[in-house]
Amino acid sequence: MTTNSMTALEQIDARHLTKNQKELITLAVLGNISEFFDMFLIGFAIAVLLKDPSWHLQGYEAGIILAMSGLGTVIGAILWGRLADKIGRKTAFMWCVLLFTVFTLVSVFTPTNAWVLLAVLRVLVGMGVGGLNITSVPYVQEFVPAKQRGFLSGLTAVFIPLGLFLGSLASSLTGDNWRLLIAIGAIPILLLFWLRRVPESPRFLQSQGHHEEATKAIAWALELPPEEVGTLPEIKGETTASYSVIFHKYFKSLVIVALGSFCFIFGSSVIQSWGQSILGSAYKFPTHTVGYLFMLVSLADLLGRLSSAWLGDRIGRKRVMLIYGLLGAVGLLISAGSTQLAGYGTNAGWIFFIGILVAMAFGDGAFGVLNPFGAEQFPNEARASGLGLGYGIGATAKIFGPALLGAMFGGKVTAAIVPPAFLFFAILLVIGGIIYQFAKETSGVSLDTV
């Protein structure tokens, strides 16, 4: 079959990745690294503020600040998932970056002890952060070959832990200067200049009747003249699905994505937000040591996500979710048993750390395939909206997890609360792995036949 006789989708599937396709993937990857970078910065900042006598910050107040970050993420995922289907993937991605960087910068000027204002600002930051992965996954999926779609779209999440590494590095360099630490989180605004170089999603353009622009977008991706691009796929049915349609036509997919992601997010969100404070306040690790330890956590998480994205195209998405859910639960059980094994000193802290290292490598490592798999549960008309709504509901775990642990700690962060809390998180991961066994396997299946 010659190139000219192929359809546009067959051309994408038949050709090696071009420089432009790799550029788009890299942009999405950097955007999502920025997401984790920002979310972890507030975790490190809270760890500093808990020790700052001028703030008088209580455990439950810290929990509320961290929970508000989760609330913003939920709102952002649902809002931007829908808007990505309405205004385009690229446009939605741009506004997400702008929203979270601007309000991150505003957070730098929070007055001393104004924890309520900081919590409100975290909602606004979270609204931008929550939309980045939701908009970038379908954006990348619509430009890459079906046989590599799981891995390549998974790359948008694979390197997210580098945000944790950079946050850990920034924390080590800035010490107790939390304002400077948060200010660094505004650097990703520079991505907006890069975003101008890439086109809008061809499927979105075609759904809006802009067939010529859709052809040019594919031509850009394949580095071909527009006249050499094959026939575009036919758009069938509704161009975008409303939430009512998603609830009625794709309810099973919605439930799987919502409940499954909730179970996987719960424990990892607590580690991401509270892990630094637990090691520092409960197990008495110095601030700089915590920063270095979380660099190792970021590496384990990155390798876990890379392996899950790679395995998803080889052994299937469902099998990966089950295996990684079970192994992540083992890590959380190790953390839960830290005080029983070694009391309340630094030895217990090291056991706790090993546990969260394993939990993040597998429980959070599953995110290399989790959102791409979730997006594939919905057809073209509902992909971003369905993923955004399902993941948004699931991301309420980012509210309940940090808030629950903050309430359990009360006024003081102690290791006594670790066993029951982390046992509960482990049970949720097992349930999450089982839930994804009811999803439809999509490994190697064309995006237009989902």
Side-chain angles (χ1 to χ4, degrees):
M1 182 181 291
T2 64
T3 300
N4 288 334
S5 65
M6 293 181 178
T7 65
L9 294 183
E10 288 171 340
Q11 287 176 311
I12 291 175
D13 288 341
R15 296 169 66 90
H16 293 295
L17 286 182
T18 66
K19 178 183 176 182
N20 286 345
Q21 286 172 306
K22 293 175 183 178
E23 179 179 348
L24 176 64
I25 294 168
T26 302
L27 176 61
V29 166
L30 290 177
N32 284 283
I33 288 174
S34 303
E35 170 192 351
F36 241 42
F37 182 50
D38 177 81
M39 295 302 286
F40 275 110
L41 286 185
I42 191 62
F44 284 115
I46 290 298
V48 171
L49 293 178
L50 281 168
K51 298 179 180 179
D52 187 343
S54 66
W55 269 73
H56 311 290
L57 193 66
Q58 301 294 305
Y60 74 91
E61 294 171 344
I64 291 174
I65 295 172
L66 296 171
M68 290 303 98
S69 297
L71 174 61
T73 301
V74 171
I75 297 171
I78 296 174
L79 172 68
W80 293 111
R82 181 64 178 144
L83 285 176
D85 279 338
K86 299 289 285 185
I87 65 176
R89 298 8 176 169
K90 174 182 174 178
T91 304
F93 190 89
M94 176 195 72
W95 280 107
C96 287
V97 172
L98 188 62
L99 187 63
F100 95 78
T101 52
V102 167
F103 284 105
T104 292
L105 193 58
V106 172
S107 301
V108 174
F109 304 100
T110 306
T112 299
N113 213 31
W115 69 269
V116 174
L117 175 59
L118 185 58
V120 172
L121 289 172
R122 291 308 303 174
V123 174
L124 297 170
V125 171
M127 286 176 64
V129 166
L132 282 174
N133 195 248
I134 298 305
T135 57
S136 63
V137 168
Y139 194 16
V140 170
Q141 284 179 330
E142 292 165 8
F143 276 104
V144 299
K147 64 182 179 181
Q148 298 173 284
R149 189 181 64 243
F151 178 69
L152 294 176
S153 59
L155 286 178
T156 61
V158 163
F159 293 100
I160 282 179
L162 283 181
L164 169 57
F165 177 85
L166 294 172
S168 303
L169 180 61
S171 175
S172 299
L173 294 175
T174 57
D176 292 337
N177 190 340
W178 69 271
R179 295 185 191 275
L180 176 60
L181 183 63
I182 290 182
I184 294 173
I187 292 176
I189 198 169
L190 298 175
L191 290 175
L192 296 178
F193 296 100
W194 191 353
L195 193 61
R196 297 178 62 184
R197 291 170 45 87
V198 301
E200 181 55 84
S201 152
R203 281 185 176 83
F204 171 76
L205 291 170
Q206 194 179 358
S207 72
Q208 302 300 303
H210 304 309
H211 300 284
E212 183 178 348
E213 288 86 347
T215 298
K216 289 180 179 179
I218 294 177
W220 173 88
L222 298 179
E223 298 181 5
L224 290 173
E227 59 270 17
E228 292 186 18
V229 173
T231 306
L232 297 176
E234 181 183 354
I235 298 292
K236 299 177 182 179
E238 292 185 69
T239 55
T240 60
S242 64
Y243 286 143
S244 62
V245 171
I246 292 172
F247 272 101
H248 285 93
K249 290 182 65 176
Y250 312 116
F251 184 71
K252 178 183 176 182
S253 296
L254 180 65
V255 170
I256 290 171
V257 173
L259 293 182
S261 57
F262 181 92
C263 291
F264 272 86
I265 290 170
F266 207 101
S268 62
S269 69
V270 172
I271 293 173
Q272 292 159 14
S273 57
W274 275 107
Q276 306 95 320
S277 296
I278 293 173
L279 285 172
S281 298
Y283 293 111
K284 310 304 179 184
F285 281 75
T287 300
H288 68 277
T289 301
V290 174
Y292 292 135
L293 291 178
F294 264 80
M295 289 182 192
L296 294 177
V297 171
S298 71
L299 177 61
D301 197 354
L302 187 153
L303 293 175
R305 288 175 180 237
L306 183 62
S307 63
S308 69
W310 183 80
L311 286 170
D313 282 331
R314 283 155 181 80
I315 67 173
R317 278 65 150 153
K318 293 167 65 172
R319 191 173 297 175
V320 169
M321 294 306 299
L322 180 61
I323 293 172
Y324 277 56
L326 294 176
L327 291 176
V330 170
L332 291 170
L333 289 175
I334 292 172
S335 292
S338 60
T339 55
Q340 280 75 18
L341 293 171
Y344 294 92
T346 54
N347 287 337
W350 284 110
I351 296 174
F352 173 82
F353 169 71
I354 291 170
I356 64 173
L357 195 68
V358 175
M360 292 296 284
F362 294 101
D364 202 64
F367 277 82
V369 73
L370 187 146
N371 271 340
F373 190 26
E376 291 167 350
Q377 298 306 301
F378 301 94
N380 288 332
E381 63 170 339
R383 184 155 298 121
S385 295
L387 175 62
L389 181 59
Y391 180 78
I393 295 171
T396 56
K398 294 184 179 182
I399 305 172
F400 297 125
L404 173 64
L405 200 55
M408 292 175 72
F409 282 137
K412 187 178 181 181
V413 177
T414 66
I417 302 302
V418 169
F422 278 73
L423 175 61
F424 175 62
F425 305 153
I427 293 171
L428 285 179
L429 262 189
V430 174
I431 294 173
I434 294 172
I435 287 172
Y436 277 104
Q437 303 314 295
F438 295 93
K440 51 189 175 186
E441 183 58 70
T442 54
S443 177
V445 177
S446 172
L447 206 59
D448 284 280
T449 61
V450 169

